[in-house]
Amino acid sequence: MSTHPAPAAAEPSSDLFSPSVSQWDCIRPNRGEWHGQFTQFSPVGEWLSTTPSLLTLHEERPDEQMRLTLVRTPTVGPQKTNTLQFSAPGPAPHVVFFPSGAFSQGPLQRRKWADFGAELALNAGHQRLRSVQLYDGDLSGTSTLKYVTVITECRDPEALPPARPKAPTLTLSDLAGEWHGDVLFQAADMTPPVKGHSTFQLQPRGQHWHSQSHIVTATGETLLSDTQPMAQASPGHLHSAHQQHLLLPGKARCTLPPVIPESLT
Protein backbone atom coordinates (compact mmCIF):
# COMPACT_ATOMS: atom_id res chain seq x y z
CA MET A 1 0.00 0.00 0.00
CA SER A 2 1.18 3.53 -0.71
CA THR A 3 -0.29 6.55 1.07
CA HIS A 4 -0.23 10.28 0.58
CA PRO A 5 -2.06 13.25 2.15
CA ALA A 6 -5.12 14.68 0.47
CA PRO A 7 -5.64 16.59 -1.74
CA ALA A 8 -2.09 16.62 -3.16
CA ALA A 9 -2.27 12.97 -4.19
CA ALA A 10 0.19 11.85 -6.85
CA GLU A 11 -0.76 9.01 -9.15
CA PRO A 12 1.53 6.01 -8.42
CA SER A 13 3.57 4.59 -11.23
CA SER A 14 1.95 1.64 -12.99
CA ASP A 15 5.01 -0.50 -12.19
CA LEU A 16 4.35 -0.28 -8.44
CA PHE A 17 0.77 -1.51 -8.78
CA SER A 18 0.88 -3.79 -11.79
CA PRO A 19 -1.05 -6.99 -11.01
CA SER A 20 0.78 -8.94 -13.73
CA VAL A 21 4.36 -8.94 -12.33
CA SER A 22 5.65 -12.37 -11.25
CA GLN A 23 6.52 -13.08 -7.61
CA TRP A 24 10.17 -13.55 -8.60
CA ASP A 25 10.31 -10.08 -10.19
CA CYS A 26 8.58 -8.63 -7.10
CA ILE A 27 11.35 -10.06 -4.90
CA ARG A 28 14.15 -8.57 -7.03
CA PRO A 29 13.97 -4.94 -5.68
CA ASN A 30 15.14 -6.40 -2.34
CA ARG A 31 18.41 -7.80 -3.73
CA GLY A 32 21.71 -6.51 -2.38
CA GLU A 33 22.83 -5.32 1.07
CA TRP A 34 20.54 -3.66 3.59
CA HIS A 35 22.11 -2.03 6.67
CA GLY A 36 19.61 -1.74 9.46
CA GLN A 37 18.59 -2.05 13.06
CA PHE A 38 15.92 -4.07 14.85
CA THR A 39 14.25 -1.79 17.43
CA GLN A 40 11.91 -3.56 19.83
CA PHE A 41 9.04 -1.80 21.61
CA SER A 42 6.65 -2.85 24.37
CA PRO A 43 2.92 -3.26 23.62
CA VAL A 44 2.43 0.43 24.52
CA GLY A 45 5.32 1.73 22.43
CA GLU A 46 8.10 1.96 25.04
CA TRP A 47 11.64 1.41 23.70
CA LEU A 48 13.17 -1.91 24.80
CA SER A 49 16.28 -2.57 22.70
CA THR A 50 18.05 -1.88 19.41
CA THR A 51 20.17 -4.43 17.52
CA PRO A 52 22.27 -3.53 14.42
CA SER A 53 21.76 -5.80 11.42
CA LEU A 54 23.00 -6.53 7.93
CA LEU A 55 20.72 -8.36 5.49
CA THR A 56 21.97 -9.61 2.13
CA LEU A 57 19.78 -11.06 -0.62
CA HIS A 58 21.70 -12.62 -3.50
CA GLU A 59 20.26 -14.19 -6.65
CA GLU A 60 22.62 -17.15 -6.88
CA ARG A 61 21.11 -18.58 -10.07
CA PRO A 62 19.13 -16.16 -12.27
CA ASP A 63 15.41 -16.97 -12.31
CA GLU A 64 16.03 -20.05 -10.17
CA GLN A 65 17.46 -19.52 -6.68
CA MET A 66 18.11 -16.81 -4.08
CA ARG A 67 19.93 -16.82 -0.74
CA LEU A 68 19.09 -14.52 2.17
CA THR A 69 21.62 -13.95 4.96
CA LEU A 70 20.74 -11.93 8.08
CA VAL A 71 23.46 -11.01 10.58
CA ARG A 72 22.40 -9.38 13.87
CA THR A 73 24.97 -7.96 16.30
CA PRO A 74 23.44 -7.35 19.75
CA THR A 75 25.25 -5.12 22.24
CA VAL A 76 25.33 -8.07 24.66
CA GLY A 77 25.95 -11.64 23.55
CA PRO A 78 27.23 -13.30 20.40
CA GLN A 79 26.52 -12.34 16.81
CA LYS A 80 23.56 -14.21 15.30
CA THR A 81 23.40 -15.33 11.65
CA ASN A 82 20.37 -16.76 9.86
CA THR A 83 20.42 -18.09 6.30
CA LEU A 84 17.46 -18.92 4.05
CA GLN A 85 17.59 -20.32 0.54
CA PHE A 86 14.53 -20.44 -1.72
CA SER A 87 13.71 -21.27 -5.32
CA ALA A 88 11.44 -19.79 -7.97
CA PRO A 89 8.62 -18.84 -8.06
CA GLY A 90 9.24 -17.66 -4.46
CA PRO A 91 8.31 -18.46 -0.85
CA ALA A 92 4.54 -17.78 -1.20
CA PRO A 93 1.98 -18.30 0.30
CA HIS A 94 3.63 -17.59 3.67
CA VAL A 95 5.46 -14.58 2.16
CA VAL A 96 3.78 -12.51 -0.56
CA PHE A 97 5.73 -9.85 -2.49
CA PHE A 98 4.45 -6.84 -4.44
CA PRO A 99 5.93 -5.01 -7.46
CA SER A 100 7.69 -2.33 -5.38
CA GLY A 101 9.46 -5.03 -3.35
CA ALA A 102 7.05 -4.61 -0.43
CA PHE A 103 6.00 -7.85 1.23
CA SER A 104 3.73 -9.41 3.84
CA GLN A 105 4.69 -12.50 5.83
CA GLY A 106 2.81 -14.60 8.36
CA PRO A 107 0.95 -17.84 9.07
CA LEU A 108 -2.25 -18.57 7.14
CA GLN A 109 -4.21 -19.26 10.33
CA ARG A 110 -4.02 -18.66 14.09
CA ARG A 111 -3.84 -21.50 16.60
CA LYS A 112 -5.13 -20.45 19.99
CA TRP A 113 -2.30 -22.08 21.98
CA ALA A 114 0.59 -20.83 19.80
CA ASP A 115 2.41 -17.54 19.26
CA PHE A 116 1.03 -15.57 16.35
CA GLY A 117 2.42 -12.66 14.36
CA ALA A 118 3.08 -10.99 11.05
CA GLU A 119 5.80 -9.02 9.29
CA LEU A 120 5.03 -6.15 6.91
CA ALA A 121 7.57 -4.31 4.75
CA LEU A 122 7.44 -1.18 2.57
CA ASN A 123 10.18 -0.12 0.14
CA ALA A 124 10.95 3.45 -0.92
CA GLY A 125 13.97 3.67 -3.19
CA HIS A 126 17.10 2.93 -1.18
CA GLN A 127 15.18 2.68 2.11
CA ARG A 128 13.02 -0.06 3.57
CA LEU A 129 10.81 -0.13 6.65
CA ARG A 130 9.64 -3.39 8.21
CA SER A 131 7.51 -4.09 11.26
CA VAL A 132 6.92 -7.32 13.18
CA GLN A 133 3.98 -7.76 15.55
CA LEU A 134 4.14 -10.82 17.82
CA TYR A 135 1.35 -12.12 20.06
CA ASP A 136 1.49 -14.63 22.92
CA GLY A 137 -1.13 -17.36 22.65
CA ASP A 138 -2.63 -19.43 25.46
CA LEU A 139 -5.08 -22.32 25.85
CA SER A 140 -7.97 -19.93 26.49
CA GLY A 141 -7.76 -18.86 22.85
CA THR A 142 -6.79 -15.27 23.62
CA SER A 143 -3.66 -13.82 22.01
CA THR A 144 -2.00 -10.86 23.77
CA LEU A 145 0.46 -8.48 22.11
CA LYS A 146 3.99 -9.31 23.28
CA TYR A 147 6.06 -6.73 21.40
CA VAL A 148 6.43 -4.76 18.20
CA THR A 149 9.73 -4.64 16.33
CA VAL A 150 10.48 -1.90 13.80
CA ILE A 151 13.29 -2.64 11.34
CA THR A 152 14.68 0.43 9.58
CA GLU A 153 17.02 -0.39 6.68
CA CYS A 154 18.88 1.46 3.95
CA ARG A 155 21.62 0.90 1.40
CA ASP A 156 23.84 3.53 3.09
CA PRO A 157 24.75 2.72 6.73
CA GLU A 158 25.39 6.42 7.43
CA ALA A 159 21.70 7.16 6.85
CA LEU A 160 20.45 5.04 9.79
CA PRO A 161 18.58 6.86 12.61
CA PRO A 162 19.90 6.96 16.22
CA ALA A 163 20.03 3.59 17.97
CA ARG A 164 17.71 4.70 20.78
CA PRO A 165 14.99 7.15 19.77
CA LYS A 166 14.18 9.70 22.50
CA ALA A 167 10.72 10.27 21.06
CA PRO A 168 8.64 8.85 18.21
CA THR A 169 9.76 10.32 14.90
CA LEU A 170 6.13 10.33 13.74
CA THR A 171 3.94 12.80 15.66
CA LEU A 172 0.18 13.19 15.88
CA SER A 173 0.44 16.50 14.03
CA ASP A 174 2.23 14.63 11.19
CA LEU A 175 -0.55 12.05 11.05
CA ALA A 176 -3.60 14.28 11.59
CA GLY A 177 -5.83 14.96 8.61
CA GLU A 178 -7.01 12.85 5.70
CA TRP A 179 -4.81 10.41 3.78
CA HIS A 180 -5.54 8.60 0.52
CA GLY A 181 -3.76 5.44 -0.57
CA ASP A 182 -3.58 2.99 -3.46
CA VAL A 183 -3.91 -0.68 -2.56
CA LEU A 184 -2.92 -3.93 -4.26
CA PHE A 185 -4.73 -6.80 -2.52
CA GLN A 186 -3.25 -10.29 -2.84
CA ALA A 187 -5.30 -13.24 -1.57
CA ALA A 188 -3.55 -16.16 0.12
CA ASP A 189 -4.50 -18.52 -2.70
CA MET A 190 -2.36 -16.36 -5.06
CA THR A 191 -5.21 -15.58 -7.44
CA PRO A 192 -4.52 -12.44 -9.52
CA PRO A 193 -4.23 -9.41 -7.22
CA VAL A 194 -6.92 -6.72 -7.11
CA LYS A 195 -6.37 -2.97 -7.03
CA GLY A 196 -8.17 -0.74 -4.56
CA HIS A 197 -8.24 2.57 -2.71
CA SER A 198 -7.85 3.47 0.95
CA THR A 199 -8.64 6.48 3.13
CA PHE A 200 -7.45 7.21 6.65
CA GLN A 201 -8.56 10.13 8.81
CA LEU A 202 -7.32 11.25 12.22
CA GLN A 203 -8.90 14.31 13.82
CA PRO A 204 -8.79 15.80 17.35
CA ARG A 205 -12.16 15.98 19.09
CA GLY A 206 -12.00 17.58 22.52
CA GLN A 207 -9.82 15.44 24.77
CA HIS A 208 -9.79 12.53 22.30
CA TRP A 209 -8.87 11.70 18.73
CA HIS A 210 -11.20 10.21 16.11
CA SER A 211 -9.79 7.59 13.71
CA GLN A 212 -11.45 6.32 10.51
CA SER A 213 -10.06 3.73 8.07
CA HIS A 214 -11.60 2.41 4.84
CA ILE A 215 -10.27 0.10 2.12
CA VAL A 216 -12.37 -0.60 -0.98
CA THR A 217 -11.39 -2.66 -4.04
CA ALA A 218 -11.84 -1.45 -7.61
CA THR A 219 -14.85 -3.81 -7.85
CA GLY A 220 -16.52 -2.13 -4.87
CA GLU A 221 -15.81 -4.79 -2.24
CA THR A 222 -15.13 -3.31 1.21
CA LEU A 223 -12.05 -4.92 2.79
CA LEU A 224 -11.93 -2.68 5.87
CA SER A 225 -14.28 -0.16 7.46
CA ASP A 226 -13.41 0.96 10.96
CA THR A 227 -14.21 4.00 13.11
CA GLN A 228 -12.67 4.47 16.56
CA PRO A 229 -12.66 7.22 19.23
CA MET A 230 -9.15 7.09 20.71
CA ALA A 231 -7.49 8.44 23.87
CA GLN A 232 -3.86 9.58 23.99
CA ALA A 233 -2.00 7.54 26.62
CA SER A 234 1.44 9.02 25.77
CA PRO A 235 3.00 11.08 22.93
CA GLY A 236 3.40 7.95 20.83
CA HIS A 237 0.37 5.90 21.89
CA LEU A 238 -3.32 6.25 20.98
CA HIS A 239 -5.76 3.59 22.12
CA SER A 240 -9.40 2.58 22.18
CA ALA A 241 -11.11 -0.42 23.72
CA HIS A 242 -10.14 -2.71 20.83
CA GLN A 243 -7.46 -0.92 18.79
CA GLN A 244 -4.31 1.16 19.18
CA HIS A 245 -1.93 3.31 17.12
CA LEU A 246 1.78 3.25 17.98
CA LEU A 247 3.88 6.11 16.53
CA LEU A 248 7.34 4.73 15.84
CA PRO A 249 10.72 5.53 14.21
CA GLY A 250 10.99 5.78 10.45
CA LYS A 251 7.75 7.78 10.29
CA ALA A 252 5.90 4.52 10.98
CA ARG A 253 2.42 4.03 12.38
CA CYS A 254 1.55 0.57 13.65
CA THR A 255 -2.20 -0.03 14.06
CA LEU A 256 -3.14 -3.26 15.79
CA PRO A 257 -5.31 -4.73 18.57
CA PRO A 258 -3.65 -5.19 22.00
CA VAL A 259 -5.63 -8.44 22.40
CA ILE A 260 -7.09 -10.89 19.85
CA PRO A 261 -10.04 -12.71 21.44
CA GLU A 262 -10.85 -16.40 20.97
CA SER A 263 -13.87 -15.49 18.83
CA LEU A 264 -11.48 -14.44 16.03
CA THR A 265 -9.58 -17.76 15.98
Side-chain angles (χ1 to χ4, degrees):
M1 178 189 297
S2 71
T3 59
H4 41 73
E11 186 70 21
S13 71
S14 58
D15 289 341
L16 294 183
F17 287 88
S18 172
S20 60
V21 180
S22 72
Q23 278 291 289
W24 200 253
D25 283 336
C26 291
I27 296 170
R28 283 189 164 124
N30 294 286
R31 290 175 300 177
E33 286 191 349
W34 293 91
H35 301 266
Q37 50 194 24
F38 285 58
T39 304
Q40 194 172 96
F41 294 87
S42 75
V44 294
E46 299 169 332
W47 178 89
L48 298 176
S49 64
T50 298
T51 302
S53 64
L54 175 62
L55 186 147
T56 304
L57 181 62
H58 176 57
E59 189 167 3
E60 295 180 315
R61 296 201 302 268
D63 301 315
E64 292 185 12
Q65 184 171 289
M66 291 195 191
R67 178 184 293 271
L68 182 150
T69 303
L70 173 62
V71 179
R72 284 176 285 185
T73 311
T75 54
V76 177
Q79 186 180 83
K80 299 178 181 179
T81 301
N82 298 93
T83 301
L84 173 68
Q85 193 175 63
F86 57 90
S87 302
H94 299 288
V95 189
V96 177
F97 289 83
F98 297 87
S100 66
F103 63 86
S104 175
Q105 176 176 200
L108 298 179
Q109 63 182 8
R110 181 170 70 98
R111 295 185 177 92
K112 65 180 183 179
W113 61 85
D115 289 350
F116 175 79
E119 178 181 353
L120 309 172
L122 292 174
N123 288 23
H126 295 297
Q127 297 184 346
R128 184 169 65 186
L129 182 65
R130 299 190 278 149
S131 68
V132 177
Q133 305 92 40
L134 187 67
Y135 289 79
D136 269 335
D138 60 40
L139 292 178
S140 72
T142 297
S143 296
T144 303
L145 183 62
K146 184 176 182 180
Y147 60 75
V148 173
T149 299
V150 173
I151 307 158
T152 50
E153 295 172 304
C154 56
R155 303 291 191 182
D156 178 8
E158 300 300 322
L160 287 173
R164 178 169 182 173
K166 296 181 179 179
T169 54
L170 179 69
T171 66
L172 287 173
S173 60
D174 292 331
L175 193 58
E178 182 173 332
W179 294 78
H180 291 257
D182 296 279
V183 177
L184 192 61
F185 173 75
Q186 176 66 68
D189 61 5
M190 300 305 293
T191 53
V194 177
K195 292 183 180 181
H197 181 76
S198 69
T199 59
F200 172 77
Q201 295 182 13
L202 184 68
Q203 302 289 350
R205 293 189 179 178
Q207 299 299 312
H208 293 79
W209 291 78
H210 192 73
S211 170
Q212 288 185 305
S213 298
H214 298 280
I215 299 178
V216 181
T217 69
T219 59
E221 180 185 1
T222 298
L223 301 179
L224 173 68
S225 183
D226 181 70
T227 300
Q228 297 273 349
M230 311 197 83
Q232 185 174 0
S234 67
H237 183 209
L238 288 176
H239 69 92
S240 67
H242 307 291
Q243 196 71 272
Q244 64 181 7
H245 296 311
L246 300 180
L247 309 185
L248 301 167
K251 295 291 184 179
R253 168 179 62 94
C254 186
T255 301
L256 72 177
V259 175
I260 303 175
E262 181 185 11
S263 59
L264 295 181
T265 300

